[in-house]
Amino acid sequence: MANRTYYIAGNWKMHKTRAEAAELAGALVAGLRNGKHKYLVAPSFTSLETVGPIIRGTNIALGAQNMAAEEQGAHTGEVSVLQLKDLGVQTVILGHSERRHVYKEDDALINKKVKLALKHGLEVILCVGELLEEREAGRAEAVCETQTVKGLEGVSPGDLSGIVIAYEPVWAIGTGKTATPEDADAIHAWVRGVIGRLYGGGAAEKIIIQYGGSVKPDNAAQLMAKENIDGALVGGAALKADTFVPIAAFN
Ligand code: PEP
């Protein structure tokens, strides 16, 4: 995988009270102390203030799962980039399939969030991925290309270093179905090609593209062995140290 650093992120979704989040964060700090890769956990907003101090100064960064498209204002129920930064958040996951398909976020809204996050110095994990019917119709590449192009519209070459892409086929998220390493690698290569067309070959070589979709301890190493797969965005298996640590510590 060229000279890229593997990046393993855990998306805790809408799970865990603060006490549970603290317990998991503590276990991950201990379990990943000698981990060689780059790590991130994204707890619920309500646990960011609890988890932040536990992981500060370790090799695990603090992420949020979403943010508002505006800096502040009358947006009941939303959380702003300024509030995330105030809690020490370094990275925000944007365009997750649950945001796209359950909460109907479109590419324009996601793009607005991407640019706002970058403006404030947050790293962005931009999720892209096709639905099952789109894959079956042979449109996986086109869907991921559109989501990548539209998600990054207006992002300057200089800001691209703040972008990580996560390829997450929607049919593989939380379903126990995983893309084969070959199928996943093919989409990663495609997306890398899109980045190359938009930003040049050097940028395409550098960008980290994570795979997400039922990554587990027993399939992580095979996925990571593929040339274009540079890490993982993990949901279900990120909720327990017993399953996240072996994924994150793969060799
Ligand atoms: C995710 O939500 O980003 C995800 C990949 O979930 P899971 O690992 O549970 O499929």
Side-chain angles (χ1 to χ4, degrees):
M1 63 154 240
N3 285 323
R4 299 181 292 272
T5 302
Y6 284 111
Y7 186 0
I8 317 291
N11 171 11
W12 296 359
K13 307 197 183 187
M14 197 175 69
H15 293 286
K16 303 208 178 283
T17 61
R18 286 175 300 162
E20 291 164 348
E23 190 184 335
L24 176 56
L28 294 181
V29 167
L32 294 176
R33 188 163 286 139
N34 299 316
K36 302 189 300 258
H37 312 307
K38 180 176 170 180
Y39 304 119
L40 174 108
V41 292
S44 300
F45 293 133
T46 51
S47 293
L48 287 169
E49 192 168 10
T50 302
V51 170
I54 297 172
I55 61 176
R56 192 165 301 139
T58 74
N59 56 355
I60 307 174
L62 186 64
Q65 300 170 17
N66 187 25
M67 62 171 232
E70 305 291 337
E71 245 159 46
Q72 57 192 320
H75 296 282
T76 303
E78 293 287 306
V79 175
S80 92
V81 63
L82 303 177
Q83 294 164 331
L84 295 182
K85 290 200 67 176
D86 187 43
L87 293 172
V89 167
Q90 295 146 287
T91 300
V92 61
I93 299 170
L94 294 174
H96 189 278
S97 71
E98 288 146 21
R99 300 305 316 173
R100 289 180 189 269
H101 298 293
V102 183
Y103 295 98
K104 306 298 176 203
E105 293 194 9
D106 63 13
D107 287 313
L109 180 71
I110 293 162
N111 175 248
K112 198 170 172 191
K113 294 182 180 192
V114 166
K115 287 188 286 193
L116 185 61
L118 291 172
K119 177 181 154 196
H120 286 279
L122 290 187
E123 177 183 75
V124 171
I125 298 179
L126 173 63
C127 302
V128 302
E130 81 285 357
L131 298 164
L132 183 58
E133 54 264 37
E134 292 168 333
R135 171 157 284 261
E136 286 172 348
R139 296 186 50 232
E141 288 83 357
V143 169
C144 294
E145 176 160 351
T146 300
Q147 292 176 351
T148 303
V149 171
K150 291 192 170 176
L152 295 178
E153 212 168 273
V155 172
S156 69
D159 279 345
L160 193 73
S161 57
I163 298 281
V164 171
I165 308 268
Y167 168 56
E168 300 205 305
V170 181
W171 47 271
I173 296 180
T175 59
K177 291 184 192 145
T178 316
T180 64
E182 292 69 29
D183 284 348
D185 191 55
I187 300 287
H188 283 230
W190 185 272
V191 171
R192 201 176 294 290
V194 171
I195 297 294
R197 282 203 300 284
L198 294 173
Y199 295 97
E205 264 301 295
K206 267 198 219 136
I207 195 155
I208 300 294
I209 308 179
Q210 298 171 326
Y211 169 78
S214 300
V215 176
K216 304 277 184 264
D218 62 3
N219 61 22
Q222 291 152 284
L223 287 158
M224 300 308 129
K226 288 293 175 188
E227 172 63 23
N228 287 289
I229 301 182
D230 309 319
L233 179 52
V234 185
L239 295 175
K240 286 187 184 156
D242 282 358
T243 44
F244 191 69
V245 169
I247 292 172
F250 82 93
N251 271 308

